[in-house]
């Protein structure tokens, strides 16, 4: 674990939590509070591990972690892993071009899950990340995922225009 990476990432997640929970004249946007309920437990230059407790609002009628909630968590936390260090590209969060989740085993209400997120590659246009979700108590794999992000820096006022 590299303390500077954990601190940098936690600061970024706190900023995203504040942004995600602000309202404008149209009200709140689609921003489930994954940043506010996720804890950074480890991080280095190209990976981060998060802890998340499954809440009732994350579950389907059977009190199992809903696939859509898992996909949202993966989307947000693999993106957060891009901010474990300063990068030349992806100064902003970018947008998803591909998100693939394979559901392996059920997670239930109240379960603590670990999300091990890795940055496979960051280029000027795309970033590729992976995630493995595990039951913290048993280490059992719950889901695996890949996530591709498109860089929007030039559209947001930063980065290269090329």
């Amino acid at each position: 674990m590299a303390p500077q990476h954990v601190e940098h990432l936690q600061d970024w997640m706190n900023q995203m939590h504040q942004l995600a929970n602000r309202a404008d004249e149209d009200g709140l946007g689609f921003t489930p509070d994954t940043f506010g309920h996720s804890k950074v437990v480890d991080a280095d230059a190209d990976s981060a591990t998060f802890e998340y407790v499954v809440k009732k609002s994350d579950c389907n009628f059977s009190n199992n972690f809903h696939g859509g909630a898992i996909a949202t968590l993966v989307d947000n936390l693999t993106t957060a892993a891009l901010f474990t260090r300063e990068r030349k590209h992806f100064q902003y969060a970018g947008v998803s071009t591909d998100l693939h989740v394979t559901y392996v085993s059920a997670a239930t209400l109240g379960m603590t899950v670990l999300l091990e997120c890795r940055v496979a590659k960051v280029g000027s246009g795309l970033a590729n990340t992976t995630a493995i979700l595990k039951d913290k108590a048993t280490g059992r794999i719950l889901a695996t995922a890949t996530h591709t992000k498109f860089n929007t820096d030039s559209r947001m006022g930063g980065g290269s225009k090329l």
Side-chain angles (χ1 to χ4, degrees), residues 44-130:
D44 63 27
D46 286 312
S47 67
T49 300
F50 303 91
E51 191 174 273
Y52 185 84
V53 177
V54 179
K55 303 179 310 299
K56 181 69 174 172
S57 60
D58 298 323
C59 293
N60 61 22
F61 63 89
S62 299
N63 283 330
N64 289 321
F65 204 178
H66 191 282
I70 292 171
T72 300
L73 190 64
V74 167
D75 182 351
N76 288 336
L77 296 183
T78 54
T79 299
L82 288 170
F83 293 89
T84 53
R85 65 175 165 157
E86 294 293 327
R87 296 186 189 277
K88 179 179 177 183
H89 305 291
F90 283 87
Q91 300 301 305
Y92 300 94
V95 294
S96 298
T97 61
D98 181 72
L99 178 65
H100 180 83
V101 181
T102 300
Y103 304 97
V104 178
S105 189
T108 57
L109 176 64
M111 181 184 282
T112 300
V113 298
L114 292 176
L115 283 86
E116 298 171 354
C117 302
R118 300 228 180 275
V119 178
K121 183 177 181 196
V122 177
S124 62
L126 296 174
N128 303 97
T129 63
T130 62

Side-chain angles (χ1 to χ4, degrees), residues 13-23 28 31:
M13 288 180 57
N14 290 340
Q15 291 173 23
M16 291 305 295
H17 172 70
Q18 289 176 342
L19 276 172
N21 289 292
R22 76 188 191 305
L28 288 172
T31 53

